[in-house]
Amino acid sequence: MQKRRFFIIALIVVSVAAVVALPFIDGVDPRREERVDEDRIVVIRLSGPIQEGGGGGLFAVGGITPSQVYRQLERAEDDPDIEGVVLRVESPGGSIAASQSIASMVRDFGKPIVVSMADMAASGGYYISAPAQGIVAHPGTITGSIGVISSFMDMEELYEKLGIKVETIKSGEHKDMFNRELTDEERELMQDLSDEAYEQFINDVAEGRDMDPGEVRELATGEVFIGSHAKELGLVDKLGGIDEAIEFLAEKNELDNPVRYEFPPPTVFEQLFDYGYSVLITLERAFIDPEIVLLEKIKEGVPPDFRYQLR
Amino acid sequence: MGTSLIDKLFGVMASPVNTLDEIARERPVGWALLVALGVSFLTLLANFYGGDGLRTIEELRHEFDIFIDASVFVVGGLVLVVVSLFVFTGLLHLLAKLFRGQGGYWNLFSAYCFAEFPMIISVPITLLGAYLGTAGAILSGLISFGLMVWVIVLQVIAVRESHKISTGASIAAYIIHFVILVAIPVAIAIVLVMALLFSF
């Protein structure tokens, strides 16, 4: 009887251990290939709004996050077979700090790096592209939108309508400024902050693109440009897609045998965690009354922030 | 009082007739579903990494710019497993009834699910096969084929024991259910693909 138990338990344990071990065994997982002679240019896809977020896995957020970009760039930098990176950017922009964090990673990256813009790389999407060695965009790509936007909701009237009376106790003159209508002085304070972030945007684009700040300022009206026009304005270096971006990178860095390469997808386990997270979100949407979800969001409040974002 | 789960799992492999008869009588539906899902989950993951799943995804990504999420592959596979379990056993149950079977649906379902347990052996075999290269892949393929035949034999016994019909009737029910659910759709798919290919 004991032998039977041992046999069945051993069979189950060995099977589970085998599945867990499979991705880490040389020759089984294609991400552990032997060194190659070709000049691999890895295409890293960054898609969605730019925002701060968790480290991935179960608590991952969608969009482009600094930690996600860091992991992928680090992987490219550590891989001796990878000679360069094409960042495929598809983003309407997003939070300022996250954009700046990603832009500095692109600027400090130790290997050649070129941006290939997809449908849209506007505002923060352009900001993170600017420090690259070059920018390649499709003739129809929407880009530009150099500027800063900030908006927040004044909930006073909504609370009144709902019969909710908000008591605020504050220390510090402006501490409650986002809980009510702004005074003229506070609006000016906010405008100063916005202008400061705007200046940073202009200077960083000018530095990344090797342009005169005055020249960038003329384009920094928040206007969006189509790819072909952006090239005429000097915001883009070449028109085309990923292949043209690889060619551009190879020419600029004298690579003889550039080959497009993409990292293997995340392991099943990593993706299952992400999947679990989206299942939770779906369940929440399916089973919780939308009005309750809305009320929760109102309770949380909409934090005021400035964004390098299209709208 | 029946035997424990581990005894049942061992019995399915060592003395299948008595064990599947006992399972069919006891109807441990929850455990049966857990066994079938557990084995399917492990074999799906093993085939994904040890087989061509990961490479296929990479090739699709390179050639056609299509990315299939690996978790969709596994979770979708599990959903298919559950659906096919109910469809397969449902049809088998109806066919067994046509052959004057006496058992109930859940009797057959429980025995059928437990009959899949030996497939768990293919998990470490797939690992070994992938590790050993081409020779290993051939060896693992042969062993997996052998395991598949074993499981089919066990499922035939499961039909026979749960419905108390003859071995011949049980084999006939199994073959008919296979033809209806696998062979006919595959044949239709082949004809459609051929028609599409020749239309260009």
Side-chain angles (χ1 to χ4, degrees):
Chain A
M1 195 68 91
Q2 281 299 101
K3 278 182 185 169
R4 286 181 178 192
R5 281 172 193 273
F6 178 77
F7 175 74
I8 294 297
I9 291 169
L11 190 58
I12 293 170
V13 168
V14 166
S15 300
V16 173
V19 165
V20 173
L22 267 166
F24 304 104
I25 290 183
D26 283 354
V28 175
D29 187 346
R31 76 187 63 189
R32 290 176 177 253
E33 292 166 5
E34 287 181 10
R35 286 216 58 183
V36 291
D37 291 331
E38 61 204 21
D39 297 324
R40 282 184 173 171
I41 311 297
V42 69
V43 178
I44 295 177
R45 292 165 193 276
L46 305 180
S47 177
I50 299 167
Q51 57 193 321
E52 286 294 339
L58 188 60
F59 303 106
V61 295
I64 305 169
T65 65
S67 58
Q68 170 211 348
V69 176
Y70 176 79
R71 275 202 310 273
Q72 301 214 60
L73 288 181
E74 190 191 34
R75 192 170 166 188
E77 201 157 32
D78 290 347
D79 189 333
D81 287 326
I82 290 181
E83 298 293 338
V85 169
V86 167
L87 278 185
R88 178 75 170 170
V89 178
E90 167 68 41
S91 175
S95 99
I96 293 182
S99 300
Q100 290 180 334
S101 174
I102 293 169
S104 71
M105 287 176 208
V106 174
R107 189 166 39 244
D108 300 337
F109 186 64
K111 291 179 180 178
I113 186 166
V114 162
V115 165
S116 161
M117 292 179 166
D119 280 338
M120 175 185 286
S123 199
Y126 187 79
Y127 183 87
I128 63 170
S129 306
Q133 261 193 347
I135 297 177
V136 178
H138 296 279
T141 298
I142 298 296
T143 187
S145 186
I146 300 172
V148 182
I149 189 163
S150 174
S151 51
F152 67 94
M153 287 187 235
D154 174 8
M155 303 279 193
E156 267 183 320
E157 282 188 31
L158 177 65
Y159 284 145
E160 215 175 288
K161 217 170 193 175
L162 292 172
I164 300 169
K165 196 176 172 207
V166 181
E167 292 279 3
T168 306
I169 295 145
K170 62 168 182 171
S171 302
E173 192 188 343
H174 303 297
K175 196 62 189 168
D176 65 339
M177 63 191 267
F178 300 117
N179 294 349
R180 53 169 170 74
E181 198 179 345
L182 294 178
T183 64
D184 289 344
E185 186 198 353
E186 285 161 351
R187 198 161 281 119
E188 257 178 57
L189 280 173
M190 292 291 282
Q191 187 60 53
D192 288 346
L193 291 178
S194 182
D195 291 344
E196 177 60 32
Y198 176 69
E199 286 303 317
Q200 289 171 10
F201 200 150
I202 289 172
N203 290 330
D204 290 344
V205 167
E207 190 189 327
R209 297 290 304 157
D210 203 14
M211 289 168 80
D212 181 62
E215 203 182 339
V216 178
R217 191 181 305 278
E218 276 179 29
L219 303 173
T221 58
E223 183 184 349
V224 291
F225 305 109
I226 201 156
S228 49
H229 189 201
K231 184 174 179 299
E232 286 166 18
L233 297 170
L235 293 174
V236 162
D237 297 295
K238 186 179 177 179
L239 294 180
I242 295 175
D243 290 339
E244 285 73 17
I246 291 171
E247 268 172 34
F248 181 87
L249 187 145
E251 276 167 26
K252 215 158 172 98
N253 298 282
E254 296 172 356
L255 301 176
D256 299 327
N257 187 21
V259 174
R260 177 174 166 171
Y261 178 76
E262 298 208 26
F263 287 132
T267 67
V268 176
F269 296 104
E270 285 166 349
Q271 292 195 26
L272 280 175
F273 276 115
D274 285 345
Y275 195 81
Y277 179 71
S278 45
V279 166
L280 287 178
I281 300 280
T282 311
L283 284 177
E284 184 189 350
R285 285 183 188 150
F287 293 108
I288 299 178
D289 193 326
E291 284 175 8
I292 293 178
V293 176
L294 181 65
L295 200 62
E296 282 294 325
K297 292 218 184 299
I298 291 171
K299 264 169 64 188
E300 283 169 17
V302 181
D305 63 349
F306 292 94
R307 305 180 78 80
Y308 291 158
Q309 189 163 316
L310 188 63
R311 60 186 168 86
Chain B
M1 183 71 186
T3 52
S4 73
L5 175 68
I6 289 182
D7 291 330
K8 284 188 178 71
L9 293 175
F10 186 82
V12 166
M13 295 199 279
S15 53
V17 177
N18 293 336
T19 310
L20 290 172
D21 174 50
E22 182 192 327
I23 292 168
R25 275 186 284 110
E26 287 179 11
R27 291 187 303 178
V29 178
W31 283 119
L33 192 60
L34 195 71
V35 168
L37 279 180
V39 171
S40 301
F41 181 66
L42 290 172
T43 46
L44 268 170
L45 284 178
N47 282 311
F48 187 77
Y49 276 114
D52 286 335
L54 199 57
R55 266 171 236 278
T56 307
I57 281 183
E58 241 203 313
E59 278 166 17
L60 281 172
R61 207 174 185 192
H62 275 250
E63 298 296 322
F64 306 106
D65 224 12
I66 298 171
F67 176 62
I68 299 171
D69 197 291
S71 59
V72 171
F73 180 91
V74 176
V75 176
L78 276 182
V79 171
L80 260 178
V81 165
V82 174
V83 172
S84 59
L85 263 180
F86 283 100
V87 173
F88 278 44
T89 50
L91 185 62
L92 263 178
H93 174 67
L94 290 178
L95 290 167
K97 283 283 178 199
L98 282 179
F99 286 102
R100 300 188 180 178
Q102 304 296 313
Y105 173 72
W106 294 112
N107 307 72
L108 171 64
F109 180 84
S110 307
Y112 185 95
C113 289
F114 267 89
E116 291 198 359
F117 182 68
M119 211 60 207
I120 200 170
I121 297 170
S122 71
V123 177
I125 297 294
T126 306
L127 165 70
L128 202 66
Y131 188 67
L132 294 177
T134 312
I138 294 169
L139 188 70
S140 125
L142 283 173
I143 295 175
S144 293
F145 179 74
L147 286 169
M148 205 172 71
V149 174
W150 186 10
V151 167
I152 288 174
V153 171
L154 291 178
Q155 286 172 339
V156 169
I157 295 173
V159 177
R160 188 186 73 187
E161 294 305 316
S162 56
H163 273 279
K164 301 296 170 205
I165 53 178
S166 69
T167 306
S170 177
I171 292 172
Y174 198 91
I175 290 173
I176 295 169
H177 114 288
F178 181 81
V179 169
I180 293 174
L181 288 173
V182 181
I184 290 178
V186 167
I188 291 171
I190 290 172
V191 169
L192 281 176
V193 169
M194 297 293 274
L196 268 174
L197 283 176
F198 284 109
S199 67
F200 286 109

